[in-house]
């Protein structure tokens, strides 16, 4: 069973930076995709970035515009670096995990509780 806990949310000024963390526990030795999603009131949950982790998966980081997703060497924490955020980036940010990487939130089985990001 995979457990996910997000942290690092808070208030940030537009044009600044913020790093979110997603700590995962449980079956950490299997191949897994960790995705970051966000949701604003009245909007659907949308994918921000995703990262494949596991044995025989080389370490890499992936940038999606102003955001970069990466993992630590132990492959137990996945980060979302938010650079130059705008007011439109304000949302609750969630991390999710599943065996494969998807952009659709409905494909993910495991979810964290979310962390709020407010950009002003």
């Amino acid at each position: 069973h995979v457990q996910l806990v997000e942290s690092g949310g808070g208030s940030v000024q537009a044009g600044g930076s913020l790093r979110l963390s997603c700590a995962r526990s449980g079956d950490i030795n299997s191949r897994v995709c960790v995705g970051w999603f966000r949701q604003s009131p009245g909007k659907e949950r949308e994918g921000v970035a995703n990262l494949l982790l596991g044995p025989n998966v080389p370490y890499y980081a992936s940038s999606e515009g102003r955001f970069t997703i990466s993992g630590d060497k132990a492959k137990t924490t996945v980060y979302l670096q938010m650079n130059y955020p705008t007011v439109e980036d304000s949302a609750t940010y969630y991390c999710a995990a599943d065996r494969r990487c998807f952009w659709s939130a409905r494909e993910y089985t495991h979810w964290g509780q979310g962390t709020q990001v407010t950009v002003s």
Side-chain angles (χ1 to χ4, degrees), residues 13 16 29 36 39 42 44 46 48 62 65 67 72 74 88 113:
Q13 288 191 339
N29 294 316
W36 279 100
Q39 188 169 24
E44 290 189 359
E46 64 172 348
V48 177
S62 176
F67 297 171
D72 67 349
E88 289 71 30
Q113 81 289 350

Side-chain angles (χ1 to χ4, degrees), residues 66-88:
R66 295 173 289 106
F67 297 171
T68 299
I69 188 171
S70 63
D72 67 349
K73 290 184 177 180
K75 300 182 180 181
T76 57
T77 303
V78 175
Y79 305 102
L80 182 69
Q81 178 69 39
M82 303 172 59
N83 294 326
Y84 309 108
T86 69
V87 172
E88 289 71 30

